[in-house]
Amino acid sequence: MKVQDTVQPAKGAPTARSAKPKSKWGRLWSDVVRDKYLYVLALPGILFFIIFKYIPITNLVIAFQEYSPYFGVLGSPWVGFEHFARFFSNNDFWMLLRNTLAISFLSLIFFFPAPIILSLMLNEVRSSLYKRTIQSLVYIPHFLSWVLIYGLTYLMFSQSEGLFNKWLVSMNWETIDILSNPNYFWGMLTAQSIWKEIGWGTIIFLAAIAGVDPQLYEAAVMDGAGRLRRMWHVTLPAMRNVILILLILRLGTILDTGFEQIYLMMNAAVTNVAEVFDTYVYRVGIRQGEFSYSTAIGLFKSIVGVIMVVTANKLARRYGEDSLY
Amino acid sequence: MKNTERKSPKSLLKMTLLLLLTSSLLLSACGGGGSGSESKGNEGGTDSNEPTSITIQTLNYATEFIDNTNALWKELEKETNTKLNITWLSPSTAEEKINVMLASGDLPEVTFVESMQNPQLQKMLKQGVFWDLTPFLKDYPNLNRDELKEMWDVTKVDGKNMVIPRYYPSYGGGIFPMVRKDWLDALNLETPKTLDEFYNVLKAFKEKDPNGNGQADEIPYTANPGSLAYIYNIFNETQGSWKLQSDNTLSPIITSEESKEAMLWIKKAYEDGLFPKDFAIMKFSQVMDTMRSGKAGVGGMSMNHAWVTGKSVRDVDPKADLMPLSYLENANGVKYTPSGSPYYGVYLIPKKVPEAKVKKILEFFDYGYSKEGNEMLTYGLEGVHYTVENGKKVSTPQAAIDKTGDGNLNNMIHLVSDDMSISAVGMPDDVYNRNVEIVNERKTVKVPNPSAELYSEAYNKYYPEISKKVEDMRVMVITGKESIESYDKLIESIKNDPKMKEITDEMSKAYQEKYVK
Amino acid sequence: MHERGWKNGIFSLINNTLLLLIGLATVFPIYYTVILSFTDPVEYYQRSLILWPRDWTLDAYKHLLSNGLFVSSISVSVFLATVGTALSLLVTGGMAYAVSRKRLRFRKAMMIMVLITFLFTPGLVPLYLVVRNLGLIDSVWSLILPSLTSAWYVLLMKGFFDSIPESLEEAAMIDGCNDIGVFWRIILPLSLPALVAFGLFFAVGYWNTYFNALMFINDQKMWPLQVLLQNMLVDPTTMGSGSGGGFAFHVNRQVPTETLKMAAVVIATIPIMLVYPFLQKHFAKGAMVGSVKG
């Protein structure tokens, strides 16, 4: 508070320097000159995006070609929307869309808020030793590969060897067929993701919470706010910015489902609920070397992502929140 | 104070900037990738005394790759008067990397591709990206060895030799039952010769306690759906996914009546508890793990596993003895054993390589396929890396130092011998001799493989999806999650699918073009 | 506050118990992984579930650590995780800070330019060509430059800088700092918790470098640790798609046992995992405000 008071008069100081009335271009130029060091700061990043993102991105035009390495991007024949038509007219398109969306929405509803809740819970722990111990434990699964997690899941839930089923048998109950039952598949994927990433996800939120001014808590206590209310009125707002950005970005990748996890967990019995765009692209596009076709599918996903992000951003702005851009 | 503090970030920033700037300059200097941007290297063969430099890219199965300081590498360069520049590919990455190389047109002078069926490769072969080697080949006696004749024949594209195949024996590879001989003996059972006998053996493994521990803990056959593909081939009396008809057309076995019978055979076995309970969801590595645990009586493997896996089983159960079956007969009395084309992977030379150098490269392979060069690549030098005792080669400590036969150079050009598929490091004589007998017996069984080396665009585009549907349905029927009626319905719909007709027509045409003249 | 004591107590009890359960859910798999890495492979096959090995063995670790490339791969990985992380923080922070200043011209254009790269992902082949044309193949920079930053990091870090009041920066400007000075002397120290979090993300990302290394590095001496370990775990019995299907060739290479795989997991994750507890103190409440006042 104190700091801000002293600073207040300085506001507008930079603009004061270029107060002279000027043409539009002249103002633009003087603004750019004024902020030259900011551009210098941004330059490495901009170069990075141009070289390693934009130059490769131009290659996406092969979605409209029958790409052949021999002719290259410049020489391959154009086929218009043929690959898109093939994709949309595929008998399985609706199944793929349904599964992708189902898995994605489950993740949005259960997986996305999980680390937020965990961060809030951790923030309420008084004993710093206990807090650190729990924190260090829950973030470890992030480092385990999906192959390993597949192995562990098999160890826990398979019918012949699974610990869970062995326990059921010892209680004289029927074993449950979890890994090859279509009804459990989506739930299991969501649970696996939460288990793997919940702790890791807290890092970013705890960093946001770390920025909260302790005075705000003190003030809230004075006002007689209980812990739940303090959580709601002080801690959560501090994380709002981060949550919103992450949420909008997540919506942009609504058609991405995490290829490796699903590919490993998939088996013949659950194909109908497990096949998603990503596994389809892998099988059809990459293994069979159909670059143009798989690029077209990727482009479709991107365009859906653009629509989602733009809409979400508009909504955020309408409700007076900070938006992404 | 302020200045010193500020200097370091600035210089770091500067460095980053410089790096990025120079990078972007470099980029614009080089420009659009595509074909032919590779430097020509030194133009080979102009001066016959100068060693020719050859860049090769190939697989390497060793954990540590050798480089040009290795004694055998040097020996190879000396013998062939070359300067080798080899890029090794680790097998875990090879497929992806080869695809990226092909797609980017960034090809070394000698490019290795694992499968002729690679769709990228097929397109490029048609576009004439690679040298036609047919006119040169006759000049290289070792490339024309009798043992290699078949591999050159089957890899022809439109009647031309565009690839240098890497030899691999026809027999001995492929998934086929490997049986615990000690369990057979314990129950006084004969080695099964027919599918029915095989079934009875599995049943006995389940019921009669072959490991003698008094518990019914045996898994008769560790398998997953993928490792039972050969059962369908036994019923259909053909290799691969296609069967030759009397009018020289091919028909897909996926929709045949025989395949349904095969599926029902597997279903019955599953219901009798001959496979693991988790049959439907096991990965191949889990199938192998069950074998290694010593709890299983049969597993599907290639012949060298009599020792590769057999050794692991013996660690758990010292009496264990893994024995490959020679063949299995179906109800019609027709024998089946797995066999393939006598090569695995091919080398190609892009057209940008000058003709003189192409000849030099062929000379290099000629040496590699000569008896002397072939053995040198696998065993090293006599007296240095091995000594001959009683007609057998015994490696010396130097072999390990120079990394002889560990997947480095011996993998570039394979040893022309059945040992490639039936032998393994450390295999005891009795296991090896028995494998020799079995492979010779297998060689008497000739099962047609009409679709080998055929390529069809429609097949590549549509077949994988269709076959996945059928395979999934089969698993559902076998495990009782779907009825046989829904299987019949699916097969019926596939038979009527115009895509399937397109695939079949293209495959038949490809067959006739290649083999019916 | 006193009248709320019992409520407080119940809240803490429930909260701590739930956290304990979440913590426990992660313990068993981790315990199992570590235990298996010390188990004899034969014992692993004989017993279906091992909670405590009969004989402890270091064989798996000995085998992995005896690889001649182990030291070089560790140094590559450490280099990536340190130098790469530092560069990533600078590049990401610089750009995020610039676009977080509302007065900056072309700010929105830059944001959209960044966002587009988040939504449109180019294939591997064009990236390979760029890296090759830059002459970075077989250079350690091929593992750093293409992954210096990403839209995700820039947008998120901007979110953090957004919450720093502009007034602070203006005060510094009056003291004669230019924007770079403000960034270095005011903004970075203020954002310490965020920097630590992002640094951890970058470091873990670099430490786990795998796929880019497969594509861009041919020379084994330049392999990072993850690639080396993966290569040692290749199962010769499940390789090969051709006629042989399940080759082992003449390869004098042992089948990777489950215990070896677990040991590899432990080796690959322990070093980077140990970093975290040292960073935790920076997540302490009020770190930012404290630094402003101090």
Side-chain angles (χ1 to χ4, degrees):
Chain A
M1 295 288 140
K2 227 169 38 196
V3 185
Q4 269 186 9
D5 283 343
T6 54
V7 171
Q8 210 61 27
K11 193 156 199 174
T15 35
R17 262 183 269 153
S18 55
K20 263 189 292 173
K22 267 183 190 171
S23 70
K24 196 175 147 203
W25 294 109
R27 255 203 327 273
L28 174 68
W29 177 246
S30 65
D31 281 357
V32 169
V33 171
R34 176 196 69 202
D35 293 331
K36 55 184 178 296
Y37 290 112
L38 281 182
Y39 292 108
V40 170
L41 278 175
L43 189 63
I46 292 175
L47 285 175
F48 165 84
F49 282 107
I50 291 176
I51 297 172
F52 292 107
K53 299 288 176 183
Y54 276 89
I55 293 178
I57 277 177
T58 55
N59 241 51
L60 292 179
V61 298
I62 68 168
F64 305 96
Q65 293 180 329
E66 192 57 61
Y67 175 70
S68 147
Y70 183 57
F71 300 118
V73 177
L74 298 175
S76 293
W78 295 89
V79 297
F81 287 88
E82 191 188 281
H83 297 297
F84 293 89
R86 176 179 163 202
F87 180 52
F88 296 132
S89 65
N90 186 308
N91 292 334
D92 292 334
F93 176 78
W94 293 106
M95 179 197 75
L96 295 174
L97 184 67
R98 181 200 64 191
N99 294 343
T100 305
L101 287 179
I103 292 167
S104 222
F105 276 115
L106 279 175
S107 138
L108 207 54
I109 296 166
F110 295 103
F111 172 68
F112 184 79
I116 302 175
I117 296 167
L118 183 61
S119 325
L120 289 173
M121 289 168 71
L122 282 169
N123 191 45
E124 293 301 321
V125 174
R126 291 288 152 85
S127 150
S128 99
L129 179 69
Y130 186 65
K131 179 174 163 182
R132 283 191 183 194
T133 314
I134 296 290
Q135 236 174 306
S136 308
L137 276 179
V138 293
Y139 103 123
I140 295 176
H142 170 77
F143 293 94
L144 306 181
S145 66
W146 280 118
V147 179
L148 199 69
I149 292 176
Y150 165 78
L152 291 168
T153 312
Y154 185 84
L155 184 85
M156 303 296 286
F157 296 113
S158 76
Q159 273 199 293
S160 51
E161 299 194 25
L163 288 182
F164 179 68
N165 276 317
K166 277 186 180 165
W167 174 73
L168 289 179
V169 170
S170 73
M171 304 293 281
N172 276 328
W173 287 328
E174 287 277 300
T175 62
I176 306 178
D177 171 19
I178 293 169
L179 296 179
S180 52
N181 187 330
N183 294 331
Y184 297 138
F185 189 75
W186 293 343
M188 193 188 55
L189 285 186
T190 315
Q192 274 183 332
S193 308
I194 293 177
W195 182 79
K196 186 174 192 283
E197 300 295 345
I198 187 172
W200 184 249
T202 59
I203 290 174
I204 197 80
F205 296 114
L206 288 172
I209 294 175
V212 177
D213 188 340
Q215 289 174 3
L216 289 177
Y217 284 108
E218 284 158 30
V221 173
M222 291 300 187
D223 292 347
R227 288 174 77 172
L228 279 173
R229 284 187 55 196
R230 265 177 275 156
M231 230 187 229
W232 186 256
H233 290 292
V234 181
T235 320
L236 209 53
M239 298 154 75
R240 197 177 56 194
N241 210 4
V242 174
I243 294 176
L244 193 77
I245 294 173
L246 286 175
L247 185 64
I248 296 179
L249 291 179
R250 178 69 191 85
L251 287 172
T253 53
I254 196 83
L255 296 186
D256 291 338
T257 39
F259 162 75
E260 203 186 351
Q261 180 192 13
I262 297 181
Y263 188 74
L264 284 164
M265 295 308 298
M266 191 151 67
N267 56 61
V270 296
T271 306
N272 264 332
V273 293
E275 239 355 311
V276 289
F277 289 137
D278 292 340
T279 54
Y280 178 78
V281 167
Y282 175 75
R283 223 185 44 248
V284 178
I286 297 173
R287 300 235 59 172
Q288 293 163 238
E290 296 194 48
F291 292 108
S292 285
Y293 187 47
S294 53
T295 307
I297 300 174
L299 208 53
F300 162 72
K301 285 170 57 184
S302 298
I303 288 162
V304 172
V306 169
I307 295 170
M308 296 299 289
V309 166
V310 170
T311 317
N313 207 50
K314 275 219 172 94
L315 281 176
R317 233 180 279 169
R318 180 171 303 167
Y319 291 103
E321 299 287 342
D322 280 338
S323 56
L324 208 51
Y325 50 85
Chain B
M1 165 200 107
K2 270 181 194 164
N3 285 338
T4 46
E5 264 186 345
R6 262 209 226 146
K7 217 159 211 167
S8 61
K10 265 194 178 165
S11 58
L12 244 183
L13 265 175
K14 228 185 233 166
M15 200 187 83
T16 325
L17 274 175
L18 266 174
L19 251 167
L20 283 165
L21 272 172
T22 39
S23 316
S24 63
L25 285 175
L26 267 169
L27 183 79
S28 49
C30 299
S35 49
S37 56
E38 181 85 347
S39 68
K40 288 265 166 22
N42 72 5
E43 305 290 326
T46 41
D47 183 355
S48 52
N49 293 326
E50 276 291 296
T52 317
S53 85
I54 302 178
T55 61
I56 305 175
Q57 173 188 276
T58 186
L59 279 177
N60 190 322
Y61 283 91
T63 42
E64 284 177 53
F65 303 165
I66 58 168
D67 56 25
N68 58 8
T69 58
N70 176 279
L72 276 173
W73 179 307
K74 284 184 184 152
E75 179 68 20
L76 182 62
E77 286 184 334
K78 205 178 88 200
E79 288 288 341
T80 54
N81 192 28
T82 51
K83 207 182 155 315
L84 298 174
N85 179 1
I86 307 178
T87 303
W88 297 115
L89 300 179
S90 151
S92 50
T93 68
E95 196 182 340
E96 259 143 349
K97 200 148 179 174
I98 288 170
N99 277 333
V100 168
M101 294 287 198
L102 290 178
S104 66
D106 189 17
L107 302 171
E109 290 161 346
V110 179
T111 303
F112 178 78
V113 179
E114 253 184 304
S115 163
M116 280 281 275
Q117 251 63 34
N118 183 312
Q120 270 326 108
L121 176 64
Q122 283 291 335
K123 281 182 202 155
M124 293 168 88
L125 284 170
K126 299 249 146 71
Q127 286 156 349
V129 178
F130 302 105
W131 274 96
D132 174 10
L133 306 170
T134 330
F136 310 119
L137 282 181
K138 57 179 189 317
D139 301 332
Y140 303 92
N142 294 319
L143 297 181
N144 291 304
R145 280 168 70 173
D146 284 347
E147 299 97 312
L148 304 182
K149 211 174 158 336
E150 196 187 342
M151 86 178 184
W152 287 105
D153 275 347
V154 296
T155 52
K156 276 185 185 157
V157 180
D158 299 330
K160 288 182 279 191
N161 284 113
M162 315 264 269
V163 306
I164 306 169
R166 188 180 65 158
Y167 175 84
Y168 189 81
S170 293
Y171 285 86
I175 291 183
F176 205 60
M178 179 84 70
V179 182
R180 283 284 293 269
K181 179 81 166 63
D182 53 314
W183 284 17
L184 287 177
D185 293 346
L187 301 179
N188 280 320
L189 294 167
E190 290 285 314
T191 306
K193 298 275 178 206
T194 70
L195 211 46
D196 285 344
E197 287 170 24
F198 183 53
Y199 197 95
N200 292 334
V201 164
L202 294 177
K203 248 185 125 106
F205 280 176
K206 172 146 187 91
E207 288 156 3
K208 300 198 173 136
D209 191 24
N211 66 7
N213 68 352
Q215 288 172 347
D217 57 352
E218 293 89 349
I219 297 166
Y221 189 169
T222 174
N224 62 3
S227 65
L228 291 174
Y230 73 90
I231 300 280
Y232 295 89
N233 292 113
I234 296 179
F235 275 85
N236 283 289
E237 301 166 10
T238 184
Q239 307 266 10
S241 319
W242 298 83
K243 185 162 177 154
L244 182 62
Q245 303 297 313
S246 48
D247 60 348
N248 275 332
T249 59
L250 297 185
S251 69
I253 66 171
I254 199 166
T255 52
S256 73
E257 198 53 34
E258 288 83 1
S259 289
K260 184 178 169 185
E261 281 169 36
M263 176 184 75
L264 294 176
W265 188 93
I266 297 171
K267 182 176 169 64
K268 184 156 179 289
Y270 178 77
E271 281 163 357
D272 284 350
L274 305 184
F275 301 129
K277 266 190 220 148
D278 292 304
F279 164 81
I281 57 171
M282 282 166 89
K283 313 260 179 231
F284 192 63
S285 60
Q286 288 165 325
V287 170
M288 295 297 284
D289 267 356
T290 311
M291 195 75 213
R292 286 180 207 131
S293 75
K295 291 180 198 124
V298 178
M301 279 163 258
S302 58
M303 285 182 67
N304 46 13
H305 278 269
W307 189 244
V308 178
T309 298
K311 183 166 153 285
S312 312
V313 186
R314 231 172 250 198
D315 286 341
V316 178
D317 181 353
K319 302 187 305 293
D321 179 15
L322 285 192
M323 179 184 74
L325 293 185
S326 305
Y327 56 83
L328 283 172
E329 250 173 60
N330 66 12
N332 303 335
V334 176
K335 289 174 184 168
Y336 176 88
T337 199
S339 64
S341 300
Y343 74 98
Y344 176 58
V346 295
Y347 289 102
L348 304 111
I349 309 173
K351 279 246 174 81
K352 68 181 185 218
V353 176
E355 185 173 331
K357 199 172 209 173
V358 174
K359 290 185 173 159
K360 200 68 206 172
I361 291 171
L362 285 172
E363 226 171 81
F364 173 80
F365 278 97
D366 190 57
Y367 172 76
Y369 275 124
S370 70
K371 197 166 176 344
E372 176 207 358
N374 207 223
E375 293 199 344
M376 193 274 270
L377 289 172
T378 298
Y379 301 115
L381 300 167
E382 185 169 0
V384 182
H385 300 105
Y386 66 91
T387 52
V388 178
E389 285 165 32
N390 306 326
K392 283 194 71 181
K393 295 187 177 67
V394 180
S395 22
T396 64
Q398 190 63 30
I401 296 168
D402 290 336
K403 304 196 167 63
T404 310
D406 69 344
N408 267 301
L409 284 175
N410 60 323
N411 200 60
M412 187 158 70
I413 298 173
H414 283 160
L415 187 68
V416 182
S417 152
D418 283 343
D419 285 0
M420 280 305 301
S421 62
I422 65 168
S423 167
V425 175
M427 188 184 265
D429 287 351
D430 55 331
V431 178
Y432 175 74
N433 293 334
R434 189 176 66 196
N435 262 357
V436 172
E437 268 174 47
I438 292 170
V439 84
N440 286 333
E441 205 174 349
R442 282 191 181 188
K443 282 179 183 169
T444 64
V445 180
K446 304 252 188 264
V447 185
N449 191 0
S451 60
E453 331 306 331
L454 297 187
Y455 181 79
S456 137
E457 187 92 35
Y459 175 85
N460 177 56
K461 215 162 170 177
Y462 304 124
Y463 189 78
E465 272 181 86
I466 295 174
S467 87
K468 178 151 197 323
K469 283 229 162 65
V470 175
E471 277 158 22
D472 286 350
M473 176 59 85
R474 284 173 180 168
V475 176
M476 305 279 263
V477 174
I478 290 164
T479 54
K481 287 182 196 280
E482 279 283 1
S483 64
I484 295 172
E485 286 73 39
S486 38
Y487 172 85
D488 289 337
K489 242 171 86 187
L490 176 70
I491 296 297
E492 204 46 45
S493 76
I494 288 173
K495 278 184 180 163
N496 297 326
D497 187 345
K499 284 179 189 160
M500 193 67 219
K501 179 149 188 343
E502 193 185 335
I503 299 169
T504 311
D505 289 349
E506 276 194 20
M507 288 299 285
S508 295
K509 200 168 141 250
Y511 177 82
Q512 286 154 11
E513 276 171 6
K514 196 167 170 102
Y515 297 108
V516 185
K517 280 281 150 67
Chain C
M1 279 221 306
H2 283 291
E3 97 257 44
R4 250 182 266 283
W6 65 274
K7 263 194 181 172
N8 236 329
I10 291 185
F11 180 93
S12 288
L13 186 72
I14 297 176
N15 192 37
N16 289 353
T17 315
L18 282 176
L19 285 173
L20 185 68
L21 290 178
I22 296 174
L24 283 180
T26 58
V27 167
F28 174 70
I30 296 156
Y31 170 80
Y32 189 72
T33 307
V34 176
I35 283 294
L36 269 197
S37 70
F38 291 105
T39 307
D40 187 70
V42 175
E43 186 181 342
Y44 167 77
Y45 286 127
Q46 281 169 339
R47 300 167 63 184
S48 54
L49 179 74
I50 296 161
L51 293 178
W52 194 254
R54 276 195 297 256
D55 303 302
W56 292 74
T57 166
L58 287 169
D59 287 354
Y61 290 94
K62 279 186 197 146
H63 176 73
L64 290 174
L65 299 183
S66 67
N67 189 298
L69 296 160
F70 193 77
V71 175
S72 72
S73 73
I74 282 269
S75 1
V76 170
S77 287
V78 169
F79 180 82
L80 292 178
T82 50
V83 176
T85 302
L87 286 176
S88 282
L89 281 176
L90 275 178
V91 172
T92 313
M95 181 148 193
Y97 175 61
V99 294
S100 74
R101 299 302 97 182
K102 299 219 163 39
R103 63 169 198 271
L104 189 74
R105 294 278 192 155
F106 307 117
R107 164 175 177 271
K108 198 168 168 183
M110 280 153 78
M111 294 293 295
I112 290 175
M113 167 189 156
V114 169
L115 188 62
I116 285 174
T117 66
F118 178 76
L119 295 166
F120 292 88
T121 35
L124 180 63
V125 175
L127 181 65
Y128 173 82
L129 284 174
V130 168
V131 171
R132 192 203 63 184
N133 287 348
L134 290 174
L136 295 178
I137 297 291
D138 268 343
S139 150
V140 74
W141 295 105
S142 71
L143 306 180
I144 292 182
L145 294 183
S147 30
L148 263 183
T149 185
S150 79
W152 197 85
Y153 290 119
V154 171
L155 294 172
L156 209 56
M157 207 182 238
K158 173 191 166 276
F160 276 91
F161 292 149
D162 275 343
S163 56
I164 297 176
E166 297 212 9
S167 46
L168 284 178
E169 138 199 18
E170 281 149 11
M173 284 229 169
I174 287 176
D175 287 350
C177 283
N178 62 26
D179 280 308
I180 295 178
V182 172
F183 173 64
W184 187 254
R185 299 183 49 80
I186 311 275
I187 303 299
L188 289 187
L190 273 182
S191 327
L192 194 63
L195 282 184
V196 169
F198 283 94
L200 190 62
F201 288 157
F202 283 124
V204 169
Y206 281 115
W207 182 262
N208 288 340
T209 297
Y210 177 66
F211 196 74
N212 279 1
L214 293 186
M215 286 298 141
F216 304 146
I217 303 289
N218 296 318
D219 181 359
Q220 268 195 315
K221 292 186 192 77
M222 300 290 296
W223 272 3
L225 183 65
Q226 307 287 351
V227 178
L228 179 75
L229 290 174
Q230 276 308 312
N231 188 51
M232 291 185 78
L233 296 182
V234 167
D235 186 344
T237 63
T238 55
M239 277 184 316
S241 50
S243 53
F247 294 105
F249 298 123
H250 257 263
V251 180
N252 194 359
R253 174 166 190 163
Q254 73 181 73
V255 176
T257 56
E258 208 60 25
T259 63
L260 198 66
K261 289 181 197 163
M262 297 300 176
V265 171
V266 174
I267 292 179
T269 50
I270 288 286
I272 193 76
M273 238 155 55
L274 289 181
V275 173
Y276 186 55
F278 290 103
L279 297 178
Q280 266 178 335
K281 65 168 183 288
H282 298 293
F283 291 124
K285 222 184 293 183
M288 166 179 160
V289 181
S291 71
V292 176
K293 287 184 174 161

